[in-house]
Amino acid sequence: MDGIFNVLKPPDMTSFDVVAYLRRALKTKKIGHGGTLDPDASGVLPVFAGTATRLLEFAVEGEKEYIAEFTLGVQTDTGDDAGTIIKTMPVPSMDEALLKDVLQKFLGKQMQVPPMYSALKVDGQKLYHLARKGIEVEREAREIEIFALDLLNFTDKTFTLRIKCSKGTYIRVLGEDICSALGTCGTMSFLLRTQVAGFFINEAYTLAEIVENPEACMSKPVAAASELAKVILTPKQAFRVTNGVRTTIRNLNDGRYAIIGPNKEFLGIGLASEGMLKAEKILEHYPKPEED
């Protein structure tokens, strides 16, 4: 089974739980997910099986979208409402204009320190394992980018956002920082992921639907490259590129491409630079064409 499942992850399951469940149900060993989603959160979780697992990193690289609610005046150790309260503060009065003005300041590129309660590893140990033992370690700030922050709803103690962001963005930390800028503290009280790269929530399947009819729910590996421009190669070019030879392609701009063979088959992903195309991930080696 080679393909990608756009899973609608339920709450109260870790991303690892979802993969383990599908590994057993589909009786396949080669399987992995594209981007961890918090256990209490729900939404899009791409799961790659078979040869498609070679493309996992490209799903993780893609843009993500979330709908998140934050509760003002209370902060927890985990950054969400599943944690233990560690701080409370009064909530100042605010209106829509003030809130939107603060949100504008969080758009664009910025540095963010990952939270202790995360799956990020430091010296081979996941941070949340250390956090549960009461151990806090220094974490390096990483660059993220916030593309959009749309205010969907707000009350005197909560606000709900639609967030478009780059990989590596921790929504819990973003929410805490926004609450701090509003003059109080806060914690995430709801999270739904609605997009990971080219995978959207309106096209996602429940675990029950996938188990009932895996073939109908599975996308071809090319779905992992849906956001990339395509380059269609001749038989000779396809043979050279898929066998590791940097090849000249006329009128090709620099960047990453989905490599398409002469018969419209998806061969993998390549990187173009100065008119030369080289393979990054190859799923299928194109055969050597017969000499004229």
Side-chain angles (χ1 to χ4, degrees), residues 134-201:
I135 301 171
E136 183 166 352
V137 296
E138 187 174 347
R139 290 95 67 199
E140 290 187 10
R142 303 187 299 179
E143 185 179 80
I144 62 167
E145 185 169 3
I146 306 300
F147 305 111
L149 283 174
D150 299 323
L151 180 62
L152 301 181
N153 184 51
F154 79 97
T155 68
D156 56 345
K157 289 191 176 181
T158 67
F159 61 94
T160 304
L161 305 176
R162 178 182 290 111
I163 304 163
K164 286 183 177 288
C165 59
S166 66
K167 70 166 186 173
T169 302
Y170 287 92
I171 304 301
R172 288 170 288 149
V173 176
L174 176 65
E176 288 177 341
D177 291 343
I178 292 172
C179 292
S180 178
L182 289 168
T184 184
C185 61
T187 195
M188 187 176 72
S189 43
F190 173 81
L191 183 66
L192 174 69
R193 186 158 68 186
T194 54
Q195 177 191 354
V196 176
F199 302 95
F200 299 87
I201 195 165

Side-chain angles (χ1 to χ4, degrees), residues 1 26 93 156 183 192 221 239 258 274 290:
M1 185 169 288
L26 303 177
S93 61
D156 56 345
L192 174 69
F239 170 71
E274 299 180 348
E290 295 181 4

Side-chain angles (χ1 to χ4, degrees), residues 8-251:
L8 181 61
K9 188 189 93 64
D12 301 322
M13 284 186 80
T14 67
S15 300
F16 178 82
D17 289 339
V18 171
V19 170
Y21 177 88
L22 289 177
R23 179 182 290 114
R24 293 191 300 269
L26 303 177
K27 298 178 181 178
T28 181
K29 293 183 178 180
K30 205 170 184 181
I31 189 168
H33 66 77
T36 301
L37 191 57
D38 290 344
D40 289 341
S42 58
V44 173
L45 181 70
V47 175
F48 292 58
T51 59
T53 55
R54 302 195 67 200
L55 303 173
L56 271 169
E57 63 189 88
F58 299 103
V60 178
E61 290 284 334
E63 181 178 300
K64 296 176 176 63
E65 182 184 84
Y66 299 86
I67 293 176
E69 178 193 72
F70 302 96
T71 297
L72 297 158
V74 59
Q75 185 174 342
T76 68
D77 55 355
T78 60
D80 58 24
D81 59 2
T84 301
I85 295 174
I86 57 174
K87 182 193 292 187
T88 59
M89 291 179 67
V91 179
S93 61
M94 64 188 72
D95 56 23
E96 184 175 356
L98 172 63
L99 189 49
K100 286 185 175 180
D101 182 60
V102 169
L103 293 177
Q104 286 294 314
K105 298 175 183 178
F106 285 88
L107 294 174
K109 294 182 179 180
Q110 55 203 269
M111 302 302 290
Q112 185 185 73
V113 177
M116 277 301 302
Y117 279 89
S118 67
L120 190 68
K121 289 184 178 181
V122 173
D123 295 331
Q125 296 190 74
K126 290 183 178 180
L127 287 177
Y128 70 82
H129 286 158
L130 297 174
R132 288 170 180 171
K133 297 176 182 178
I135 301 171
E136 183 166 352
V137 296
E138 187 174 347
R139 290 95 67 199
E140 290 187 10
R142 303 187 299 179
E143 185 179 80
I144 62 167
E145 185 169 3
I146 306 300
F147 305 111
L149 283 174
D150 299 323
L151 180 62
L152 301 181
N153 184 51
F154 79 97
T155 68
D156 56 345
K157 289 191 176 181
T158 67
F159 61 94
T160 304
L161 305 176
R162 178 182 290 111
I163 304 163
K164 286 183 177 288
C165 59
S166 66
K167 70 166 186 173
T169 302
Y170 287 92
I171 304 301
R172 288 170 288 149
V173 176
L174 176 65
E176 288 177 341
D177 291 343
I178 292 172
C179 292
S180 178
L182 289 168
T184 184
C185 61
T187 195
M188 187 176 72
S189 43
F190 173 81
L191 183 66
L192 174 69
R193 186 158 68 186
T194 54
Q195 177 191 354
V196 176
F199 302 95
F200 299 87
I201 195 165
N202 62 318
E203 300 169 346
Y205 294 95
T206 65
L207 291 172
E209 289 173 326
I210 292 170
V211 172
E212 182 180 356
N213 193 344
E215 296 294 338
C217 299
M218 186 173 66
S219 299
K220 294 181 179 180
V222 69
S226 61
E227 294 189 323
L228 299 180
K230 295 178 174 59
V231 55
I232 300 174
L233 304 183
T234 66
K236 185 176 181 180
Q237 290 170 337
F239 170 71
R240 288 172 57 83
V241 171
T242 61
N243 284 278
V245 181
R246 293 180 73 242
T247 302
T248 300
I249 309 291
R250 291 182 180 179
N251 303 317

